[in-house]
């Protein structure tokens, strides 16, 4: 009889060797990209910082079609959210301002093509605020990052990702959780700019509804493996009520 669960009760899944019992998936560490060479590929992560987090994957071969799923535990039974699209990058974000810290499972799956993917988890304590940030360095190979930003109800803000150097094809979006859904996929954005192309700026605006002052997640991702530097400009363009 094989042991089919870990000490915390996580069940055996496809990452376990045949008749091998429970095997821990590879742990994703903050801001440390890895290559998903198997299909499917299984990971876990722990979100501990009390800020927004993001986990994403980017195909390494043009034309591959992929998805990412996030589960409540590394038992891979209760699906929390998934991102499934023909885009180069798929990701899921979480609002740790409103969630308890726990180990979660991540599944990366290629449903067309033959290539690998780059996977990255980010849960730092970075924030941006109204005004212009300092210069942010985007290293070659990075996939996705997220910053907390506090926005006030009744006000409208314009966000600009201003590329200073480099050729990375960066996109940006804003996420929130005032609807009570704290884990969301890339298409559940409040506002987004994804049309600039390689080395180009991105900009969008968002009006905060009444009663919705909160910490929001400003997410940036790269559709290729190139490097760049940029800053983030946030302007309050209406005074609010």
């Amino acid at each position: 009889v094989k042991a089919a669960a870990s000490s915390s009760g996580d069940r055996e899944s496809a990452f376990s060797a045949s008749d091998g019992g429970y095997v821990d998936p590879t742990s994703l560490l903050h801001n440390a990209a890895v290559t998903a060479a198997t299909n499917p590929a299984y990971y876990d992560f722990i979100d501990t910082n009390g800020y927004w987090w993001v986990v994403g994957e980017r195909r390494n071969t043009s034309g591959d079609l992929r998805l990412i799923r996030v589960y409540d535990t590394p038992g891979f039974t209760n699906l929390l959210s998934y991102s499934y699209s023909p885009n180069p990058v798929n990701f899921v974000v979480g609002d740790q301002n409103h969630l308890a810290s726990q180990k979660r499972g991540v599944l990366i799956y290629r449903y067309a093509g033959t290539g690998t993917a780059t996977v990255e988890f980010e849960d730092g304590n970075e924030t941006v605020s109204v005004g212009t940030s300092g210069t942010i360095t985007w290293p070659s190979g990075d996939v996705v990052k997220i910053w907390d930003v506090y926005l006030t109800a009744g006000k409208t803000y314009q966000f600009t990702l201003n590329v200073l150097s480099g050729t990375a094809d960066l996109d940006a979006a804003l996420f929130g959780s005032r609807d009570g859904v704290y884990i969301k996929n890339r298409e559940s954005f409040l506002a987004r700019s994804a049309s600039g192309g390689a080395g180009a700026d991105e900009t969008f605006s968002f009006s905060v509804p009444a009663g919705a002052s909160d910490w929001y997640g400003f997410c940036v991702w790269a559709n290729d493996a190139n490097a760049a530097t940029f800053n983030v400009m946030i302007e309050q363009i209406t005074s609010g009520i």
Side-chain angles (χ1 to χ4, degrees), residues 196-237:
D201 300 345
E202 300 287 352
T203 186
F204 60 80
S205 61
F206 175 67
S207 296
V208 185
S213 297
D214 203 355
W215 288 98
Y216 290 76
F218 176 71
C219 186
V220 176
W221 63 98
N223 295 303
D224 54 37
N226 295 328
T229 64
F230 61 91
N231 60 33
V232 177
M233 180 185 300
I234 305 174
E235 301 172 273
Q236 181 184 312
I237 57 178

Side-chain angles (χ1 to χ4, degrees), residues 18 23 72 94 105 178 217 229:
S18 176
V23 176
D72 62 343
R178 295 295 296 182
T229 64

Side-chain angles (χ1 to χ4, degrees), residues 11-222:
R11 307 302 298 176
E12 179 185 11
S13 291
F15 53 83
S16 301
S18 176
D19 293 326
Y22 182 85
V23 176
D24 280 328
T26 301
S27 293
L28 297 173
L29 303 178
H30 165 67
N31 203 28
V34 300
T35 298
T38 61
N39 191 48
Y42 293 86
Y43 302 94
D44 63 33
F45 67 88
I46 301 177
D47 38 13
T48 59
N49 281 323
Y51 292 73
W52 280 82
W53 54 260
V54 62
V55 59
E57 62 87 26
R58 181 181 60 234
R59 66 192 182 199
N60 292 329
T61 302
S62 178
D64 279 5
L65 299 177
R66 314 184 65 92
L67 62 81
I68 182 172
R69 294 175 178 169
V70 174
Y71 294 82
D72 62 343
T73 75
F76 298 93
T77 54
N78 297 318
L79 180 66
L80 298 175
S81 186
Y82 67 95
S83 181
Y84 163 90
S85 76
N87 299 291
V89 177
N90 287 293
F91 60 84
V92 171
V93 302
D95 184 1
Q96 198 65 24
N97 296 283
H98 301 288
L99 289 169
S101 176
Q102 71 177 72
K103 182 180 286 189
R104 307 181 193 278
V106 178
L107 181 150
I108 307 295
Y109 181 69
R110 182 188 66 242
Y111 56 93
T114 59
T116 62
T118 302
V119 182
E120 187 174 23
F121 165 64
E122 208 266 351
D123 76 332
N125 56 3
E126 297 93 348
T127 63
V128 289
S129 58
V130 174
T132 302
S133 73
T135 299
I136 297 170
T137 299
W138 189 275
S140 175
D142 272 15
V143 179
V144 63
K145 300 194 180 301
I146 197 164
W147 293 260
D148 280 41
V149 55
Y150 192 84
L151 303 179
T152 302
K155 299 182 179 181
T156 298
Y157 299 87
Q158 180 167 299
F159 290 74
T160 301
L161 188 159
N162 178 35
V163 177
L164 303 174
S165 67
T167 58
D169 181 0
L170 301 174
D171 292 334
L174 185 71
F175 293 87
S177 64
R178 295 295 296 182
D179 58 0
V181 179
Y182 302 122
I183 298 178
K184 298 182 173 182
N185 66 23
R186 63 166 282 161
E187 298 305 316
S188 299
F189 57 86
L190 297 172
R192 179 171 70 180
S193 179
S195 59
D201 300 345
E202 300 287 352
T203 186
F204 60 80
S205 61
F206 175 67
S207 296
V208 185
S213 297
D214 203 355
W215 288 98
Y216 290 76
F218 176 71
C219 186
V220 176
W221 63 98

